[in-house]
């Protein structure tokens, strides 16, 4: 789930390292009547830095193959490392009537976590908890509907803040919901995973390097 609040920097901290990932997009639903797109994942922020959530995968009926959601990108602020989330994949094809149509995988992030395709006409696999991974598309069924596309993974951001302020506001993004299909062979796309924020606080310096450090907080 998403969370928000204020992070208070402990006394004596020289700098902090912020690592965070936006939430994953939901996978597409399937169904003969509708095959809706999954919802986009929420943006995660810490102070002026943001990491964007992945977008939802898309679905289709008849001969339209579900497209994968785009990975997260952009965001505001200056960061040392900024890595877009991977896009979800398209649904696969089929070789014989007895084989179901495979749905698309959810996009991974630096933490992995993309959802796995399910059996036919089943709910797509959800992104792994607090990785920002995208949800997989719903499973299709030969001759009725194509599998849904997977949602995109959230963007990863890592930065060092030297001489930090006394406190920073943070907000975590929620994972996108999977699309809910209707009609024959309907199934729901997998939910995208929520964000993660990790703060490392570093205390003091010495000629050989940092004297001490520790993970001060982790938010999901």
């Amino acid at each position: 789930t998403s969370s928000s609040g204020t992070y208070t920097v402990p006394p004596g901290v020289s700098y902090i390292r912020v690592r965070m990932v936006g939430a994953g997009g939901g996978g597409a639903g399937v169904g003969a009547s509708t095959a809706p797109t999954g919802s986009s994942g929420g943006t995660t922020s810490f102070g002026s830095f943001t990491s964007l959530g992945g977008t939802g995968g898309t679905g289709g009926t008849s001969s339209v193959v579900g497209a994968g959601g785009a990975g997260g990108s952009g965001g505001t602020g200056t960061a040392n490392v900024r890595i877009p989330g991977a896009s979800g994949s398209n649904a696969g094809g089929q070789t014989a009537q007895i084989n179901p149509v495979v749905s698309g995988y959810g996009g991974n992030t630096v933490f992995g976590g993309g959802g796995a395709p399910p059996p036919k006409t089943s709910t797509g696999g959800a992104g792994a908890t607090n990785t920002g991974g995208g949800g997989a598309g719903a499973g299709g069924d030969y001759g009725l509907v194509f599998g849904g596309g997977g949602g995109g993974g959230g963007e990863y951001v890592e930065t060092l803040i030297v001489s930090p302020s006394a406190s920073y506001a943070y907000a975590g993004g929620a994972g996108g919901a999977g699309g809910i299909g209707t009609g024959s062979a309907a199934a729901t796309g997998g939910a995208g995973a929520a964000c993660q924020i990790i703060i490392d606080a570093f205390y003091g310096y010495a000629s050989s390097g940092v004297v001490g450090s520790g993970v001060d907080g982790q938010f999901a």
Side-chain angles (χ1 to χ4, degrees):
T1 59
S2 61
S3 63
S4 61
T6 300
Y7 170 76
T8 300
V9 178
V13 169
S14 300
Y15 66 96
I16 59 175
R17 179 176 65 171
V18 182
R19 292 175 286 167
M20 61 184 182
V21 65
V30 300
S33 297
T34 63
T37 297
S39 300
S40 293
T43 297
T44 302
S45 64
F46 183 88
S48 63
F49 299 94
T50 65
S51 52
L52 301 187
T55 59
T58 60
T61 58
S62 185
S63 61
V64 180
V65 175
S73 63
T76 60
T78 301
N80 299 75
V81 178
R82 188 176 291 277
I83 303 174
S87 295
S89 65
N90 291 336
Q94 67 281 346
T95 57
Q97 188 168 351
I98 60 173
N99 291 336
V101 179
V102 178
S103 68
Y105 282 88
N108 285 318
T109 71
V110 167
F111 299 111
K120 68 176 183 178
T121 60
S122 297
T123 300
T129 303
N130 298 130
T131 63
D141 192 3
Y142 182 88
L144 295 174
V145 296
F146 280 80
E155 179 189 33
Y156 175 79
V157 173
E158 180 176 332
T159 188
L160 295 177
I161 301 177
V162 180
S163 300
S165 300
S167 63
Y168 294 88
Y170 68 86
I180 302 174
T182 61
S184 301
T188 301
C195 74
Q196 182 164 190
I197 305 174
I198 303 172
I199 311 299
D200 299 292
F202 296 83
Y203 300 80
Y205 295 90
S207 59
S208 60
V210 176
V211 172
S213 66
V215 177
D216 187 73
Q218 180 168 328
F219 311 100

